[in-house]
Amino acid sequence: MNPSVFAGLFYKAYVRRDVDAALRLIDRIGRAVIRNFRSPWPQQDWWHDEAFNAYLGRFGELEGHNMERRWMVYQLGRLARDVPGDTAECGVFHGAGSYLMCAGNRGTNKTHHAFDSFEGLSTPGPDDGSFWSKGDMAAALDGVMRALAEFDSVKYHRGWIPERFPDVESLKFSFVHVDVDLEQPTRDSIEFFYPRLSEGALFVCDDYGFSTCPGATRTIDQFLEDKAEKMIALSAGGGFFLKGRSVAPAGPGGTFR
Ligand SMILES: C[S@@+](CC[C@H](N)C(=O)[O-])C[C@H]1O[C@@H](n2cnc3c(N)ncnc32)[C@H](O)[C@@H]1O
C-alpha cells in the first residue's frame, strides 16, 4: 500500500475517529494478507447484546472468529423450538454450541444429546486437506459437564462417531448441529440423523463452506444431491437446511451461479 495513503487513512481513522477511513484501512491491510478480505459493517446491534456477550465471555469467545456463527446458531435455533424431537450436537469441544442449544430448550421437555470422543478429532481422510490432525480440538468431558451444569436434560455419549448413535436410534430430532471438521464423521452424522429429523427440523453444519473442511462440505452436498433440501451457506461460514423444505440449488458449497 502507498505509504502516504496508509498514513492518511491512519490519521483519519485513529485521530479523527472516522469509521469509514478505519474500515478502508482494515480492508487494505486485510487484503494485503488475505485474498478478498472484507470487513463487516460495524453498526450491528448484536455486537452490543450484553447477555450474548456474557455467553461469549463464558466460553472465551469475545475474541476470535466464532462469535458471528454463534449468533446465527442462536437465531436459527429459534426456528426449531416448536418442532417435535430432541436436540443433538456431534462434536462438542468445550460445549459452547451445546450451551446455545440447551438454552434454547429451556421451558421444553427436550433432551440435548452431546456426542464426542472427548479425545479430539479422528484421523483425517484423504479428502480432508492438510489443516487438521488427529487429536486436534480435544476437550475433557468433565469440563463440558461443568459448562452445561445449569441444564437438567443433557445426555453425554462419549465415543468415536458413529459408535454411540445406537443410544438414540429410536428418537426424533428437532435440531442437530454437526461440527466434527472431517468428512467421515460428518457423513456418518448426516446419514444417521437425516431420517430422524422431524418435519421442519433444523440441521446445521458448522464446517460447511470452509476451505479448511473440504471433505465435510463435499460429503454434505453429495448426501443431499438426491434430496429436496440443499444447504443454505451462511455468510460467516457454516450452513443449514430445514427438513422437508426444498430450496433452489446452488453451486458446490452453496456457491453463486
Ligand atoms: C470444532 S470442535 C467442536 C466445537 C463445538 N461444536 C463448539 O460449538 O464449540 C470438533 C469436535 O469434534 C470432535 N470429533 C471430531 N471427530 C470426531 C469423531 N470421529 N468422533 C467423535 N468426536 C469427534 C472433537 O473431539 C471436537 O470436540
Side-chain angles (χ1 to χ4, degrees), residues 61 66 70 89-98 115-122 132 136-139 159-161 177 179-182 185 206-207:
E61 294 199 341
N66 285 339
R70 299 293 184 207
E89 183 170 54
C90 301
V92 175
F93 196 39
H94 293 302
S98 281
F115 292 89
D116 204 296
S117 64
F118 298 105
E119 294 178 38
L121 268 55
S122 44
W132 299 109
D136 284 352
M137 311 283 292
W160 294 104
I161 290 168
H177 186 228
D179 189 4
V180 286
D181 301 304
L182 305 178
D206 183 78
D207 310 313

Side-chain angles (χ1 to χ4, degrees), residues 12 67 108 143 174 215:
K12 282 189 197 161
M67 49 191 99
T108 73
S174 60

Side-chain angles (χ1 to χ4, degrees), residues 8-23 25:
L9 284 175
F10 185 82
Y11 174 79
K12 282 189 197 161
Y14 191 71
V15 179
R16 293 221 231 120
R17 295 282 191 257
D18 178 328
V19 170
D20 185 55
L23 289 178
L25 182 62

Side-chain angles (χ1 to χ4, degrees), residues 4 8 20 37 43 71 100 102 110 115 124 127 137 162 170 180 183 185 188 200 209 215 232 234 238 250:
S4 65
D20 185 55
F37 175 84
Q43 303 94 333
W71 178 256
L100 287 179
C102 291
K110 293 175 187 294
F115 292 89
D127 293 329
M137 311 283 292
S170 62
V180 286
E183 178 174 20
D188 291 336
I232 303 291
L234 299 169

Side-chain angles (χ1 to χ4, degrees), residues 30-214:
R31 281 199 288 272
V33 183
I34 301 161
R35 193 168 68 92
N36 292 332
F37 175 84
R38 46 199 81 176
S39 56
W41 285 108
Q43 303 94 333
Q44 302 185 52
D45 288 345
W46 73 270
W47 287 11
H48 312 293
D49 180 327
E50 291 311 326
F52 187 71
N53 286 340
Y55 152 76
L56 292 173
R58 174 191 292 251
F59 288 94
E61 294 199 341
L62 276 167
E63 290 184 3
H65 311 292
N66 285 339
M67 49 191 99
E68 200 167 340
R69 272 180 296 155
R70 299 293 184 207
W71 178 256
M72 288 196 292
V73 165
Y74 162 62
Q75 295 296 337
L76 288 174
R78 297 171 57 209
L79 286 167
R81 183 181 164 89
D82 293 333
V83 174
D86 283 349
T87 61
E89 183 170 54
C90 301
V92 175
F93 196 39
H94 293 302
S98 281
Y99 187 97
L100 287 179
M101 298 174 85
C102 291
N105 288 352
R106 278 197 189 105
T108 73
N109 58 5
K110 293 175 187 294
T111 296
H112 180 68
H113 300 270
F115 292 89
D116 204 296
S117 64
F118 298 105
E119 294 178 38
L121 268 55
S122 44
T123 306
D127 293 329
D128 284 316
S130 56
F131 188 81
W132 299 109
S133 302
K134 181 174 167 54
D136 284 352
M137 311 283 292
L141 174 58
D142 57 352
V144 178
M145 291 173 86
R146 275 197 302 279
L148 304 182
E150 69 192 81
F151 303 108
D152 297 328
S153 288
V154 190
K155 287 194 177 154
Y156 298 93
H157 306 270
R158 178 184 201 145
W160 294 104
I161 290 168
E163 280 170 10
R164 300 294 304 274
F165 286 168
D167 298 357
V168 298
E169 66 187 350
S170 62
L171 300 179
K172 294 294 273 186
F173 291 87
S174 60
F175 180 6
V176 173
H177 186 228
V178 174
D179 189 4
V180 286
D181 301 304
L182 305 178
E183 178 174 20
Q184 189 57 53
T186 300
R187 180 81 187 188
D188 291 336
S189 299
I190 195 168
E191 279 180 353
F192 177 82
F193 281 104
Y194 181 85
R196 291 171 177 81
L197 295 173
S198 302
E199 185 73 12
L202 171 68
F203 179 97
V204 178
C205 177
D206 183 78
D207 310 313
Y208 188 79
F210 275 90
S211 59
T212 46
C213 304

